[in-house]
Amino acid sequence: MRERVHRHLGKVLTGAALAAVGTAVMVAVTLPGTAGADETGGGVRAAGRAGQDPDAAPPGVVERPPAEGKRGTGRDPLTDDEIRRAEEIAVAGRLSAAGRSAGGGRGPERLSVDLAEPEAAEADAPDAPRRADVTFYDYATDTLVTRTVDLDGGKVEHTGSRRGVQPPPSRAENAEAARILIAAPLGAGLKADYKDATGRDLSSPGRLELSGGIYQAAPGARPAVPDDCGAHRCVRLFSKVGNGPWIDTRDLVIDLSAREVAALDRG
């Protein structure tokens, strides 16, 4: 396991560092007044009696969304039932038996399920088949696999495989990266800063709010460690204590394929 490190890693981010993480901006929207409000009879209606501007718009009403059916139509987003069905169809067969997830379990790691674009000849057809593109990462072969599923026919129409292509990590992959980091010697700084912030030991990823990005090594460029990233699936984590501060783990890279942690050499 790589353990090369040149500075204390795992510092709590505060002040200006938090500003770099992102600032939420709230925008207020004012609705126009209603023209021709009912002012007959006894005068202003309930809004006026409540001391509100009689020309103000009435309060909005939040309604329940319509019940989602098992199947969508046309270019409607995939329903929950269609997503589950697409996954089951796409992963069946050899991919399920031989593939491996980020945690080493049977079957590949699911990354996304999206409504597929219609064929050119079906673009304007109201009864065009609904298809889903299901994307997996198979850690057994470090391969990105995309399968196009015909939801009406219940079959896989097309399979594409590519190596060296690394989409953003899923939530499950971020959690697995944090699990590897917590168990590694280079995770000591993260655990120490978590204990400083909470008074408790960090034992699992569930105690952190996590986001992550893919790290790929550029040939001949610094940092040169780890140089397998790109062929392997490597993640840089952004870790936050629940309802607390961010913890700086940006100088650490977790190689999910090799299940190793490395410190970036910034010279």
Side-chain angles (χ1 to χ4, degrees):
M1 179 174 289
R2 301 184 180 97
E3 299 181 11
R4 188 174 179 182
V5 62
H6 295 281
R7 59 181 58 83
H8 174 70
L9 303 172
K11 292 295 183 183
V12 175
L13 296 180
T14 58
L18 287 177
V21 174
T23 303
V25 178
M26 184 176 293
V27 179
V29 178
T30 303
L31 297 175
T34 54
D38 184 3
E39 298 178 359
T40 59
V44 182
R45 294 193 294 178
R49 290 196 299 270
Q52 299 177 5
D53 184 346
D55 291 330
V61 177
V62 178
E63 298 182 351
R64 290 181 178 273
E68 182 181 76
K70 289 188 175 183
R71 291 185 54 191
T73 58
R75 300 302 296 162
D76 289 346
L78 294 170
T79 66
D80 291 344
D81 189 74
E82 286 177 318
I83 290 173
R84 284 192 294 268
R85 186 161 179 260
E87 290 176 353
E88 291 171 358
I89 296 169
V91 80
R94 185 177 180 279
L95 188 60
S96 175
R100 288 294 177 266
S101 68
R106 179 177 172 179
E109 187 74 36
R110 193 209 82 178
L111 300 184
S112 63
V113 182
D114 301 299
L115 184 68
E117 292 294 327
E119 302 290 341
E122 302 168 346
D124 298 322
D127 58 347
R130 278 172 67 81
R131 301 181 180 90
D133 287 332
V134 188
T135 303
F136 302 96
Y137 194 85
D138 184 2
Y139 281 88
T141 58
D142 272 308
T143 303
L144 183 71
V145 180
T146 301
R147 286 189 162 177
T148 300
V149 173
D150 179 350
L151 292 167
D152 297 322
K155 62 181 180 180
V156 175
E157 289 189 343
H158 175 74
T159 298
S161 300
R162 291 181 292 172
R163 303 192 70 182
V165 179
Q166 302 292 350
S170 66
R171 181 180 298 181
E173 287 177 309
N174 287 335
E176 187 61 28
R179 187 173 291 109
I180 294 170
L181 177 57
I182 290 169
L186 285 177
L190 170 66
K191 291 186 286 187
D193 288 338
Y194 180 87
K195 189 161 188 175
D196 286 345
T198 66
R200 296 179 296 174
D201 292 330
L202 179 60
S203 57
S204 70
R207 296 181 179 272
L208 297 169
E209 295 177 14
L210 300 166
S211 59
I214 290 294
Y215 173 81
Q216 291 183 278
R222 300 186 70 90
V225 178
D227 55 7
D228 290 333
C229 293
H232 286 184
R233 193 152 170 80
C234 299
V235 173
R236 295 176 72 185
L237 283 177
F238 300 89
S239 310
K240 184 178 184 296
V241 177
N243 298 318
W246 290 87
I247 299 177
D248 190 0
T249 54
R250 292 171 296 176
D251 280 351
L252 298 175
V253 173
I254 300 93
D255 184 334
L256 285 169
S257 299
R259 302 189 69 79
E260 294 180 350
V261 182
L264 297 181
D265 182 2
R266 298 192 180 279

